[in-house]
Amino acid sequence: ITAETSRVQASARLVAELDVFAGLATAAEHQGYVRPTLHALDAPRVLQFKGSRHPVIERIDFGEPFVPNDLELDGNSWRIMLITGPNMAGKSTYMRQIALNVLMAQIGSFVPADVAELSLSDRIFTRVGASDNLSLGQSTFMLEMNEAAAILHNATEHSLVILDEIGRGTSTFDGISIAWAIVEHLYQLGALTLCATHYHELTKLAETLPRIRNYTVSVAEENDNVIFLHRIVPGMATRSYGVHVAQLAGLPRDIITRAWEVLSNLEQGSINASFSEQPSLAIPSASN
């Protein structure tokens, strides 16, 4: 056996590859995947999906069907998709499923979509989630900036970049300024980019940079209720519905009521009114 070790290991590698291919084929057959059309790395950049789905989330029973979405990026016509919309509406799911579809296509798998056509990407860069690394002295914002720096130093015009809420974790003006400059840089670089943000000011970039387009996640409002339709459509959001989500999460009713009051004053441009109208708070004595 020792003398034939190399043959045994070679056979094991082949069996492992067959196992991977068989697993991908079984998933494609049972879950309705489609064969993607791939273009060479040096071909004109294109990223097109019709009926794209998330290969994991669509298999989880949330009590409602998964909503497929389309995407069409063309490096010559438009290369950056700015996505605004409510919390919990599906922006992150949408961007991650696109990245997963690209990754699956490039490893030789069929993909969860009705139609898939894409040029090869040299790398997929993602900046998602909120976490810290306190053992290395890195705050949430510092870790985010480190990851953003790695993307900006290494991405090329052939890369796919996924940015989810870039610039959060600092003051509003600082965050907007950083996110604005990053989007402009990626625009000049030419990397195909999906960027989700609650900084609605960024939608103004589409007015001056022709290869940026605004998309949003559609919602329906019924009385005081918000229904997330999970459909990506052209346009821009004007609200993030954060208080609605806080209410869904179960924050106490008096906090939600007060949040609506403060939000109304802030939207009218009066932060002083929010402070002047705040309810008196009972401060416990030292003996308590």
Side-chain angles (χ1 to χ4, degrees), residues 30-42:
H30 291 176
Q31 300 174 28
Y33 293 177
V34 67
R35 180 179 180 175
T37 300
L38 298 175
H39 299 282
L41 191 64
D42 57 355

Side-chain angles (χ1 to χ4, degrees), residues 61 65 114 120 141 184 196 217 224 226 243 258 286-287:
D61 184 8
D114 296 331
L120 294 177
F141 181 68
E184 285 183 336
V217 188
D224 292 332
V226 175
V243 179
R258 179 57 180 157
S287 61

Side-chain angles (χ1 to χ4, degrees), residues 38-41 45-46 105-106 118-122 158-159:
L38 298 175
H39 299 282
L41 191 64
R45 298 283 282 151
V46 62
Q106 292 195 196
L118 60 150
S119 52
L120 294 177
S121 296
D122 57 3
H158 299 293
S159 301

Side-chain angles (χ1 to χ4, degrees), residues 261-271 274:
E261 293 173 353
V262 175
L263 178 62
S264 177
N265 290 329
L266 291 175
E267 288 179 338
Q268 295 173 19
S270 175
I271 191 170
S274 297

Side-chain angles (χ1 to χ4, degrees), residues 4-284:
E4 300 299 334
T5 297
S6 60
R7 289 181 58 195
V8 173
Q9 291 176 336
S11 297
R13 282 192 294 269
L14 290 173
V15 172
E17 290 184 11
L18 289 173
D19 183 45
V20 171
F21 297 146
L24 293 176
T26 300
E29 180 180 11
H30 291 176
Q31 300 174 28
Y33 293 177
V34 67
R35 180 179 180 175
T37 300
L38 298 175
H39 299 282
L41 191 64
D42 57 355
R45 298 283 282 151
V46 62
L47 189 58
Q48 179 179 349
F49 293 101
K50 293 188 182 299
S52 169
R53 313 186 307 275
H54 193 294
V56 177
I57 302 301
E58 73 164 346
R59 306 299 299 172
I60 302 175
D61 184 8
F62 290 108
E64 57 181 312
F66 186 89
V67 178
N69 273 291
D70 301 339
L71 170 73
E72 187 171 354
L73 282 175
D74 181 343
N76 294 325
S77 299
W78 66 294
R79 59 183 62 140
I80 294 183
M81 184 178 191
L82 275 176
I83 310 171
T84 53
N87 290 291
M88 297 292 293
K91 301 188 299 296
S92 296
T93 298
Y94 174 73
M95 294 195 302
R96 295 181 193 196
Q97 77 190 40
I98 296 301
L100 285 172
N101 274 236
V102 171
L103 179 60
M104 292 172 68
Q106 292 195 196
I107 67 170
S109 173
F110 283 29
V111 299
D114 296 331
V115 175
E117 181 178 354
L118 60 150
S119 52
L120 294 177
S121 296
D122 57 3
R123 296 181 185 179
I124 301 173
F125 293 98
T126 62
R127 160 82 283 279
V128 300
S131 60
D132 55 40
N133 193 340
L134 298 182
S135 63
L136 294 180
Q138 296 179 338
S139 66
T140 301
F141 181 68
M142 185 61 180
L143 188 60
E144 176 185 331
M145 290 298 99
N146 283 340
E147 293 181 358
I151 293 173
L152 298 173
H153 284 301
N154 293 286
T156 73
E157 61 180 319
H158 299 293
S159 301
L160 173 64
V161 179
I162 306 294
L163 299 176
D164 196 356
E165 306 298 346
I166 192 72
R168 61 184 166 188
T170 185
S171 71
T172 301
F173 286 164
D174 281 357
I176 292 173
S177 301
I178 293 170
W180 190 292
I182 288 175
V183 172
E184 285 183 336
H185 175 85
L186 292 171
Y187 181 88
Q188 296 299 327
L189 179 65
L192 298 184
T193 303
L194 278 69
C195 176
T197 182
H198 285 291
Y199 293 142
H200 299 149
E201 294 82 356
L202 294 185
T203 60
K204 296 293 184 181
L205 283 165
E207 298 178 3
T208 56
L209 300 177
R211 293 186 178 88
I212 294 180
R213 294 186 186 178
N214 290 318
Y215 278 76
T216 188
V217 188
S218 56
V219 299
E221 296 188 50
E222 294 182 358
N223 299 322
D224 292 332
N225 297 320
V226 175
I227 300 174
F228 301 126
L229 302 180
H230 308 300
R231 179 69 66 184
I232 305 294
V233 297
M236 63 192 77
T238 57
R239 300 175 59 189
S240 293
Y241 297 92
V243 179
H244 283 94
V245 175
Q247 185 174 1
L248 289 173
L251 262 64
R253 180 175 298 180
D254 58 336
I255 292 179
I256 297 299
T257 300
R258 179 57 180 157
W260 283 122
E261 293 173 353
V262 175
L263 178 62
S264 177
N265 290 329
L266 291 175
E267 288 179 338
Q268 295 173 19
S270 175
I271 191 170
N272 292 329
S274 297
F275 288 126
S276 64
E277 294 176 7
Q278 62 182 340
S280 60
L281 301 178
I283 306 298

